[in-house]
Amino acid sequence: MRGQLEPKCGWEEIILAMRRYSENPAIQLRGCFFLGTVANGHFHDQKIVDAGAHGVIIQIMRNLPEHAELQEMASAALEVIANSTDEIKRQLCDAGAPEAMCKTMRTFGSNSDVQVQNVLGVASLALSDCGAADRFVNGAHLLIQDAAGRHSHLAGFCCAALTALCRNCNHDTSLQLLEDRSVNTICQALAQDLLPRHQEKGSLHQVDFCC
């Protein structure tokens, strides 16, 4: 049809379908899975971002906020795309990825599968010099803290995300993370996760966790 973009690659066809059927969870699930798979090799990251894949995924997270499986798949795709160059991270931030991730974490606090994808996404985005970490200043560390408290098996991922935020945000934000005792909470969750494993192996005598 005239005036429409003629798809040149498989992912462009997928993105067009996702835009056309934005309220169809089945199509969005398959689309997110496909885009995440394409991005996983990191050969086409910039191409699929230039084609608007990240914007489509973020819009899905906004359009279907109560669909847990879709939020998990969309978050996983974003995390893979975010694990790339600073320029791609900046584009994700400009499109609203930090806000979408935080909203999903708030909605699905009890769902560990959704939480882990977004915690990994926060870590991937924050590990950059493009100012992405400062986009998470409005409560992301508290959401990570909550995830670690609810799901002790995610504590290692939460620790990595918090470390990424601390290392790459501005000084005031780093102080806020420490004042809110997020580090203590995550260390306690790590202790809860690690102690039983060591005890089962019979190798634990005494472990001191100092935070």
Side-chain angles (χ1 to χ4, degrees), residues 13-211:
E13 293 179 350
I14 294 295
I15 291 169
L16 285 173
M18 292 171 75
R19 285 177 174 149
R20 186 172 298 164
Y21 303 103
S22 60
E23 302 298 325
N24 187 316
I27 289 176
Q28 303 306 320
L29 271 170
R30 289 173 173 81
C32 288
F33 176 79
F34 179 85
L35 293 173
T37 301
V38 170
N40 196 39
H42 300 296
F43 298 112
H44 306 294
D45 291 0
Q46 191 62 60
K47 291 180 181 178
I48 65 172
V49 168
D50 289 344
H54 62 304
V56 170
I57 295 169
I58 292 167
Q59 193 59 48
I60 290 164
M61 296 173 77
R62 294 170 178 157
N63 289 347
L64 300 166
E66 303 301 324
H67 196 297
E69 186 180 5
L70 181 54
Q71 292 292 324
E72 178 188 350
M73 189 67 71
S75 300
L78 271 189
E79 188 275 326
V80 173
I81 295 171
N83 189 21
S84 188
T85 65
D86 279 5
E87 174 57 25
I88 287 178
K89 295 175 195 286
R90 184 192 62 74
Q91 290 178 264
L92 288 173
C93 287
D94 290 345
E99 292 78 11
M101 289 176 178
C102 289
K103 183 177 181 180
T104 298
M105 291 182 74
R106 288 190 186 97
T107 303
F108 295 99
S110 61
N111 189 318
S112 64
D113 293 330
V114 174
Q115 291 295 305
V116 70
Q117 297 300 338
N118 283 281
V119 168
L120 290 170
V122 171
S124 293
L125 268 184
L127 283 173
S128 70
D129 295 322
C130 67
D134 292 320
R135 292 289 296 271
F136 289 103
V137 66
N138 293 322
H141 62 295
L142 297 178
L143 294 170
I144 294 168
Q145 172 183 319
D146 182 62
R150 289 178 184 237
H151 315 285
S152 62
H153 64 288
L154 302 185
F157 299 118
C158 293
C159 184
L162 193 64
T163 299
L165 287 174
C166 286
R167 288 181 60 186
N168 295 281
C169 65
N170 62 46
H171 178 68
D172 291 340
T173 304
S174 292
L175 290 177
Q176 182 181 339
L177 297 181
L178 296 174
E179 288 172 359
D180 287 333
R181 298 181 64 81
S182 298
V183 175
N184 274 4
T185 301
I186 291 176
C187 284
Q188 290 167 8
L190 277 169
Q192 292 173 9
D193 186 43
L194 292 174
L195 285 173
R197 299 184 193 180
H198 287 288
Q199 288 170 341
E200 287 174 6
K201 294 179 181 179
S203 61
L204 180 66
H205 298 288
Q206 183 176 0
V207 177
D208 293 321
F209 290 90
C210 300
C211 302

